Amino acid sequence: MSIHAMTWAFSLQQLDPHKKIVLLSLADNANDEGYCWPSMDTIAKKSSMSKSTARRHIKSLETLGLLTKQNRVKINGATGTNYFLLHVGAKPKEPEPDKESLTPETKQNEGCQIEPPTTIGVPPSDTPITEGVSKLCKGEGVRAVTPKPSIESPITTTTTCAREDNDPALEIFNRGEPPPKKNPVAKPMTDDWEPDWPLLEAKLLRAGIPKQFASEQRDEFVLYWVGEGKQHPSWEAKFFNHLRHQYRRYQAQQTRENQLQHALNEKNNTRVNIINHEKHTMEVSYAQRTAVTSENDSFRQRLEDTDW
């Protein structure tokens, strides 16, 4: 996930909400250079829309100049997921005017074709055309005028695009190759090192790790790697991997402790039930013996009675 790409997508306030959510889904999978290659299932699931609708909005975003799509073909010839290159920082192109909203004069002049200026050495056309004036456009008496060519300064036509054709990143993207990887500079760990907490909180939220756990692990992480004296190109990525590993161990330990406590509770309950059963058995036995003794005493008294 690229925070830079997400911020850019959020800043496009004039963009249609459905197109923006598709663009945000792509930015959520993009790196800092704007490259991403999610499947259509992933895009549709994140955008809460069907795959056909997501494809239609991707085509519209490509028309607006906000991204470039490149088909990806595997070595065996099978079609894989598409490459997407987000034009981070670009603004949407102005939409073409609707033909139904054109004025009558604009409709009358629609379809005019301006002929290129004649140059020296090119024979003139068989159709007589006034110098510096093109052919008649649709509509009577309407002509499209072009400037006369000058011998000293011939007219040249140049085309400018949002991204130049000699952009090496765009050339690699058009060839269908994976994005180039940068080699960041390795840096040593310092005592005052702090991770990028806003970016880390977004990753922790997706991984299901509490921020309090990450704060408690920070001091131990810094103390260990300062003592090791090693260098690493991305301490934030290493710290996040450390958190995932430690949190899995923490969850396993909590599970074992809960199981042990449950077993102890079960054992105590069993022992209590046994003691209660033995106590009840002894009380019943004592009551039975008492009843037998009372019956024997009564019988003895009747035998000893001589009044009869």
Side-chain angles (χ1 to χ4, degrees), residues 60-71:
S60 300
L61 292 171
E62 191 174 7
T63 304
L64 293 174
L66 299 178
L67 61 86
T68 303
K69 184 181 73 172
Q70 175 69 36
N71 295 330

PDB file of all heavy atoms in Angstrom, residues 60-71:
ATOM      1  N   SER A  60     -12.511   3.867 -17.998  1.00  0.00           N
ATOM      2  CA  SER A  60     -12.769   5.301 -17.900  1.00  0.00           C
ATOM      3  C   SER A  60     -11.594   6.032 -17.254  1.00  0.00           C
ATOM      4  O   SER A  60     -11.206   7.127 -17.685  1.00  0.00           O
ATOM      5  CB  SER A  60     -14.045   5.545 -17.093  1.00  0.00           C
ATOM      6  OG  SER A  60     -15.163   4.930 -17.704  1.00  0.00           O
ATOM      7  N   LEU A  61     -10.996   5.434 -16.222  1.00  0.00           N
ATOM      8  CA  LEU A  61      -9.831   6.048 -15.585  1.00  0.00           C
ATOM      9  C   LEU A  61      -8.644   6.122 -16.533  1.00  0.00           C
ATOM     10  O   LEU A  61      -7.865   7.077 -16.499  1.00  0.00           O
ATOM     11  CB  LEU A  61      -9.450   5.249 -14.332  1.00  0.00           C
ATOM     12  CG  LEU A  61     -10.442   5.300 -13.162  1.00  0.00           C
ATOM     13  CD1 LEU A  61     -10.043   4.305 -12.085  1.00  0.00           C
ATOM     14  CD2 LEU A  61     -10.510   6.700 -12.574  1.00  0.00           C
ATOM     15  N   GLU A  62      -8.520   5.103 -17.389  1.00  0.00           N
ATOM     16  CA  GLU A  62      -7.451   5.128 -18.380  1.00  0.00           C
ATOM     17  C   GLU A  62      -7.700   6.225 -19.412  1.00  0.00           C
ATOM     18  O   GLU A  62      -6.769   6.894 -19.857  1.00  0.00           O
ATOM     19  CB  GLU A  62      -7.356   3.762 -19.060  1.00  0.00           C
ATOM     20  CG  GLU A  62      -6.118   3.576 -19.919  1.00  0.00           C
ATOM     21  CD  GLU A  62      -6.000   2.152 -20.439  1.00  0.00           C
ATOM     22  OE1 GLU A  62      -6.941   1.368 -20.249  1.00  0.00           O
ATOM     23  OE2 GLU A  62      -4.963   1.840 -21.040  1.00  0.00           O
ATOM     24  N   THR A  63      -8.976   6.433 -19.773  1.00  0.00           N
ATOM     25  CA  THR A  63      -9.316   7.514 -20.703  1.00  0.00           C
ATOM     26  C   THR A  63      -9.046   8.881 -20.090  1.00  0.00           C
ATOM     27  O   THR A  63      -8.625   9.814 -20.781  1.00  0.00           O
ATOM     28  CB  THR A  63     -10.796   7.406 -21.112  1.00  0.00           C
ATOM     29  OG1 THR A  63     -11.036   6.096 -21.656  1.00  0.00           O
ATOM     30  CG2 THR A  63     -11.158   8.449 -22.148  1.00  0.00           C
ATOM     31  N   LEU A  64      -9.276   9.017 -18.795  1.00  0.00           N
ATOM     32  CA  LEU A  64      -9.020  10.281 -18.108  1.00  0.00           C
ATOM     33  C   LEU A  64      -7.540  10.532 -17.868  1.00  0.00           C
ATOM     34  O   LEU A  64      -7.176  11.592 -17.346  1.00  0.00           O
ATOM     35  CB  LEU A  64      -9.765  10.296 -16.766  1.00  0.00           C
ATOM     36  CG  LEU A  64     -11.290  10.322 -16.844  1.00  0.00           C
ATOM     37  CD1 LEU A  64     -11.891  10.198 -15.458  1.00  0.00           C
ATOM     38  CD2 LEU A  64     -11.779  11.592 -17.513  1.00  0.00           C
ATOM     39  N   GLY A  65      -6.678   9.587 -18.211  1.00  0.00           N
ATOM     40  CA  GLY A  65      -5.241   9.779 -18.049  1.00  0.00           C
ATOM     41  C   GLY A  65      -4.738   9.580 -16.652  1.00  0.00           C
ATOM     42  O   GLY A  65      -3.663  10.068 -16.308  1.00  0.00           O
ATOM     43  N   LEU A  66      -5.493   8.842 -15.811  1.00  0.00           N
ATOM     44  CA  LEU A  66      -5.080   8.619 -14.430  1.00  0.00           C
ATOM     45  C   LEU A  66      -4.313   7.324 -14.239  1.00  0.00           C
ATOM     46  O   LEU A  66      -3.700   7.136 -13.187  1.00  0.00           O
ATOM     47  CB  LEU A  66      -6.305   8.633 -13.513  1.00  0.00           C
ATOM     48  CG  LEU A  66      -7.092   9.943 -13.492  1.00  0.00           C
ATOM     49  CD1 LEU A  66      -8.307   9.811 -12.598  1.00  0.00           C
ATOM     50  CD2 LEU A  66      -6.234  11.107 -13.041  1.00  0.00           C
ATOM     51  N   LEU A  67      -4.357   6.429 -15.212  1.00  0.00           N
ATOM     52  CA  LEU A  67      -3.618   5.167 -15.115  1.00  0.00           C
ATOM     53  C   LEU A  67      -3.364   4.620 -16.506  1.00  0.00           C
ATOM     54  O   LEU A  67      -3.981   5.046 -17.490  1.00  0.00           O
ATOM     55  CB  LEU A  67      -4.357   4.149 -14.239  1.00  0.00           C
ATOM     56  CG  LEU A  67      -5.761   3.695 -14.659  1.00  0.00           C
ATOM     57  CD1 LEU A  67      -5.715   2.533 -15.648  1.00  0.00           C
ATOM     58  CD2 LEU A  67      -6.568   3.274 -13.443  1.00  0.00           C
ATOM     59  N   THR A  68      -2.460   3.647 -16.564  1.00  0.00           N
ATOM     60  CA  THR A  68      -2.162   2.917 -17.790  1.00  0.00           C
ATOM     61  C   THR A  68      -2.223   1.432 -17.483  1.00  0.00           C
ATOM     62  O   THR A  68      -1.666   0.985 -16.471  1.00  0.00           O
ATOM     63  CB  THR A  68      -0.777   3.278 -18.335  1.00  0.00           C
ATOM     64  OG1 THR A  68      -0.716   4.693 -18.546  1.00  0.00           O
ATOM     65  CG2 THR A  68      -0.507   2.562 -19.648  1.00  0.00           C
ATOM     66  N   LYS A  69      -2.924   0.684 -18.333  1.00  0.00           N
ATOM     67  CA  LYS A  69      -3.082  -0.753 -18.132  1.00  0.00           C
ATOM     68  C   LYS A  69      -2.272  -1.497 -19.177  1.00  0.00           C
ATOM     69  O   LYS A  69      -2.257  -1.124 -20.349  1.00  0.00           O
ATOM     70  CB  LYS A  69      -4.555  -1.143 -18.215  1.00  0.00           C
ATOM     71  CG  LYS A  69      -4.815  -2.621 -17.910  1.00  0.00           C
ATOM     72  CD  LYS A  69      -6.283  -2.957 -18.039  1.00  0.00           C
ATOM     73  CE  LYS A  69      -6.710  -2.999 -19.484  1.00  0.00           C
ATOM     74  NZ  LYS A  69      -8.093  -3.506 -19.647  1.00  0.00           N
ATOM     75  N   GLN A  70      -1.603  -2.542 -18.749  1.00  0.00           N
ATOM     76  CA  GLN A  70      -0.798  -3.366 -19.649  1.00  0.00           C
ATOM     77  C   GLN A  70      -1.153  -4.830 -19.407  1.00  0.00           C
ATOM     78  O   GLN A  70      -1.161  -5.290 -18.255  1.00  0.00           O
ATOM     79  CB  GLN A  70       0.704  -3.147 -19.384  1.00  0.00           C
ATOM     80  CG  GLN A  70       1.622  -4.053 -20.185  1.00  0.00           C
ATOM     81  CD  GLN A  70       1.599  -3.720 -21.670  1.00  0.00           C
ATOM     82  OE1 GLN A  70       1.487  -2.571 -22.030  1.00  0.00           O
ATOM     83  NE2 GLN A  70       1.669  -4.718 -22.512  1.00  0.00           N
ATOM     84  N   ASN A  71      -1.495  -5.543 -20.479  1.00  0.00           N
ATOM     85  CA  ASN A  71      -1.817  -6.964 -20.355  1.00  0.00           C
ATOM     86  C   ASN A  71      -0.561  -7.750 -20.004  1.00  0.00           C
ATOM     87  O   ASN A  71       0.537  -7.473 -20.507  1.00  0.00           O
ATOM     88  CB  ASN A  71      -2.418  -7.487 -21.648  1.00  0.00           C
ATOM     89  CG  ASN A  71      -3.754  -6.858 -21.953  1.00  0.00           C
ATOM     90  OD1 ASN A  71      -4.489  -6.494 -21.043  1.00  0.00           O
ATOM     91  ND2 ASN A  71      -4.082  -6.703 -23.226  1.00  0.00           N
TER      92      ASN A  71
END
